[in-house]
Amino acid sequence: MKALLRIFRPSRKLVFIIAGVALLGGVSGGAALFIGKDRILGLSAETMNGLSCTDVNLVTIKKQNRVWIRKYIKTEPTDGMTRVKTALRVAKAVYDAQKPDLVQVVVLDTNGPTLRSDIRGRAIGADVVYIPHPDAVLESAQAKAYTARYYDGSAAANGLFFGERVDLPEDEITALNASFNEYSDCIDPIAVAATKGGEGKSKGEKAEEAKEEKPAEGGGHGATPAEQPAAEEAAPAAGH
């Protein structure tokens, strides 16, 4: 009997190996609970689709029966490829909502300039142009549906980006678009503020405001004409 026990008694080395495997399994399980399975298995959904963003400015240009939209947005500090992902996602979301002939999305840093005259050069962390039907707009057989570029460095305190400029090839842009599982637009701070401002008003106050905003019947002389796009506004260029 003692001889049999000596035969089946595990060695000290084998015991250490079994204990190590059990410990590693426990640590991995704890890490999965703490970090989340999306971080263990791959990128989070937000990283896959770019970052959340905020609207800065929107320019709509109507010329020769065509509509061009140039959208300026800002994100939290991130890498250049994530800025491009964000811009591609937003460009597709804008097109799906408004169906323009051309969409340009310019990504700025949170500390970057907000005046259009200052948004140029290294203030632009990423720039994407989406033309769903490039042949009709650019009148060229070599026209591309997408162009995308970014600075691969981070932004300084003044919102200007460092690093080399990278122009993405078309096949890489196509692969990025195929990786998205949703196309969402940025947050409009003006709309959010307006929603929050109207939540605390009573029904009587809202009715009074609606009565005041109702235009006078008859001649309609108090109505203001719709804002026309500036005649000197040029078409959005494919790059800056």
Side-chain angles (χ1 to χ4, degrees):
M1 185 67 181
K2 291 182 179 179
L4 290 175
L5 290 176
R6 281 197 298 270
I7 293 174
F8 291 103
R9 186 175 60 186
S11 66
R12 182 177 299 179
K13 185 176 181 180
L14 180 60
V15 171
F16 285 146
I17 292 175
I18 295 174
V21 171
L23 179 62
L24 181 61
V27 171
S28 300
L33 289 174
F34 181 75
I35 300 175
K37 65 179 181 179
D38 59 337
R39 301 290 184 177
I40 295 293
L41 299 178
L43 297 174
S44 66
E46 184 178 48
T47 305
M48 288 177 61
N49 299 317
L51 293 180
S52 59
C53 51
T54 305
D55 288 346
V56 175
N57 198 355
L58 179 70
V59 180
T60 302
I61 305 165
K62 297 180 180 179
K63 188 176 181 181
Q64 297 178 353
N65 297 324
R66 290 173 181 163
V67 178
W68 296 327
I69 292 179
R70 182 186 295 141
K71 189 179 181 73
Y72 300 92
I73 66 174
K74 62 181 179 181
T75 68
E76 294 296 328
T78 185
D79 60 277
M81 184 60 74
T82 304
R83 292 193 295 270
V84 165
K85 287 182 181 179
T86 306
L88 287 170
R89 185 200 76 218
V90 172
K92 187 63 166 57
V94 170
Y95 174 76
D96 290 343
Q98 304 186 42
K99 295 296 189 294
D101 297 286
L102 182 149
V103 182
Q104 182 179 16
V105 178
V106 178
V107 183
L108 311 171
D109 185 66
T110 51
N111 298 321
T114 56
L115 295 177
R116 284 169 52 196
S117 58
D118 297 331
I119 300 175
R120 61 181 184 274
R122 290 193 172 270
I124 300 174
D127 179 14
V128 164
V129 176
Y130 174 40
I131 309 174
H133 306 290
D135 295 342
V137 175
L138 300 180
E139 299 178 354
S140 172
Q142 287 76 34
K144 298 179 180 179
Y146 282 98
T147 58
R149 62 194 67 194
Y150 65 93
Y151 283 111
D152 62 357
S154 57
N158 60 357
L160 300 183
F161 291 89
F162 292 97
E164 296 294 327
R165 197 184 81 173
V166 178
D167 294 87
L168 286 181
E170 191 172 7
D171 58 344
E172 191 166 350
I173 298 174
T174 302
L176 286 175
N177 275 319
S179 68
F180 297 146
N181 55 26
E182 66 172 357
Y183 296 98
S184 57
D185 204 342
C186 297
I187 299 171
D188 184 353
I190 297 178
V192 172
T195 302
K196 290 182 178 180
E199 287 176 352
K201 296 180 180 179
S202 64
K203 293 182 179 180
E205 290 174 334
K206 292 180 180 180
E208 187 65 25
E209 286 182 357
K211 184 177 180 181
E212 291 177 357
E213 292 175 358
K214 184 177 180 181
E217 298 180 356
H221 297 290
T224 57
E227 183 181 354
Q228 297 295 327
E232 64 274 9
E233 185 71 53
H240 293 269

